[in-house]
C-alpha cells in the first residue's frame, strides 16, 4: 500500500517573490483537502520586494522579511538554491546550491522566478549601467549616487512604473542632480486618465528641480 507521503501531490514552486510566495501559501492552506505537499525553492531567505528597489537606490533601508518566517507553520518545505534545469518528461527539477546538487520531483510546477534587466542587448550597459533587479545592485547604485557631485547627470532608461518611480525617488533624494527619464511612450501611458494626469503633474513638479 502507498504511504500518505507517496500519495500526496507534490507542488513545486520555483521563486519566492510576490507571485511564488503567494502561490505557495495559498496552495499550502488547501493542502490537506487537496492532498498536496508544497516545496518552495529560492536562492536566499530574504524576501525581495522588487517593487521597492528604487527606494534602496535612493538610499533608504527597507524592512527585512524572512521567507522562512513567512512560511513557518504552513507545512511548506523551503529549499535554498537555484533551478538550473527542468526535465518535464521526468517531472523533475535540478537545484544547485552551496550544499551541492539535488533533484526535486513534482506533480505540479509553478515557475515564478521573476524577470531581470537585459544588460547585453545594448553595448556598454553591462559595464557602465546599474540595474534595480536585486537589493545588492540597488545598493551599489545608491553608493554611486552618494559619490556624485552636485549637478551630475543621472539617466533612467525605461519609463514604465519602475523607471518612473526610480527617477522620481532619485530626484527627490538628490535634488542637485539632473535626472533624465527615457522611454518609448509617455510615462503612465497604460494608466487611466486620472492616474496619468496625477503622475504627469508630479513629474512636472520635479522637472522644476531636476527631472526632464
Amino acid at each position: 500500500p502507498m504511504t500518505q507521503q507517496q500519495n500526496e501531490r507534490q507542488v513545486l514552486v520555483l521563486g519566492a517573490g510576490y507571485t511564488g510566495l503567494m502561490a505557495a501559501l495559498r496552495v499550502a492552506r488547501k493542502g490537506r483537502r487537496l492532498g498536496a505537499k508544497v516545496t518552495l525553492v529560492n536562492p536566499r531567505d530574504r524576501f525581495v520586494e522588487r517593487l521597492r528597489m528604487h527606494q534602496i537606490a535612493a538610499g533608504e533601508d527597507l524592512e527585512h522579511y524572512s521567507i522562512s518566517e513567512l512560511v513557518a507553520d504552513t507545512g511548506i518545505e523551503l529549499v535554498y538554491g537555484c533551478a538550473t534545469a527542468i526535465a518535464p518528461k521526468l517531472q523533475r527539477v535540478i537545484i544547485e546550491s552551496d550544499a551541492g546538487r539535488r533533484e526535486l520531483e513534482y506533480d505540479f510546477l509553478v515557475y515564478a522566478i521573476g524577470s531581470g534587466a537585459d544588460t547585453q542587448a545594448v553595448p556598454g550597459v553591462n559595464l557602465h549601467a546599474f540595474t534595480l533587479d536585486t537589493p545588492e545592485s540597488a545598493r551599489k547604485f545608491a553608493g554611486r549616487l552618494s559619490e556624485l557631485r552636485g549637478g551630475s547627470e543621472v539617466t533612467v532608461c525605461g519609463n514604465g512604473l519602475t523607471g518612473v518611480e526610480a527617477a522620481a525617488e532619485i530626484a527627490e533624494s538628490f535634488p542637485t542632480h539632473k535626472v533624465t527619464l527615457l522611454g518609448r511612450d509617455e510615462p503612465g501611458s497604460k494608466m487611466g486618465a486620472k492616474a496619468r494626469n496625477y503622475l504627469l503633474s508630479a513629474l512636472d513638479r520635479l522637472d522644476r528641480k531636476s527631472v526632464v
Side-chain angles (χ1 to χ4, degrees), residues 56-202:
I56 295 179
E60 294 185 37
D61 289 324
L62 300 184
E63 186 173 352
H64 179 94
Y65 294 101
S66 169
I67 296 173
S68 57
E69 293 179 0
L70 293 173
V71 303
D73 302 320
T74 64
I76 295 173
E77 179 185 0
L78 180 59
V79 174
Y80 298 113
C82 295
T84 59
I86 299 175
K89 291 184 179 180
L90 298 175
Q91 292 185 286
R92 294 180 180 179
V93 176
I94 297 176
I95 305 297
E96 299 280 357
S97 69
D98 292 339
R101 178 181 180 273
R102 63 183 294 190
E103 293 185 5
L104 298 179
E105 298 181 349
Y106 67 86
D107 295 299
F108 300 96
L109 178 66
V110 178
Y111 189 82
I113 64 170
S115 61
D118 183 357
T119 60
Q120 302 297 324
V122 179
V125 168
N126 61 326
L127 298 176
H128 305 291
F130 296 86
T131 69
L132 300 181
D133 290 342
T134 65
E136 293 77 16
S137 60
R139 287 193 192 95
K140 288 182 180 180
F141 183 39
R144 180 59 180 146
L145 282 175
S146 64
E147 296 171 353
L148 297 177
R149 295 176 297 178
S152 296
E153 298 187 14
V154 179
T155 300
V156 178
C157 297
N159 65 353
L161 294 181
T162 298
V164 169
E165 290 178 334
E169 196 79 41
I170 294 166
E172 288 278 12
S173 301
F174 300 90
T176 60
H177 296 345
K178 177 184 177 182
V179 182
T180 301
L181 178 62
L182 298 179
R184 295 180 179 179
D185 302 311
E186 183 181 57
S189 60
K190 295 183 180 180
M191 291 180 169
K194 186 175 181 180
R196 184 170 60 252
N197 289 336
Y198 178 84
L199 170 63
L200 294 178
S201 65

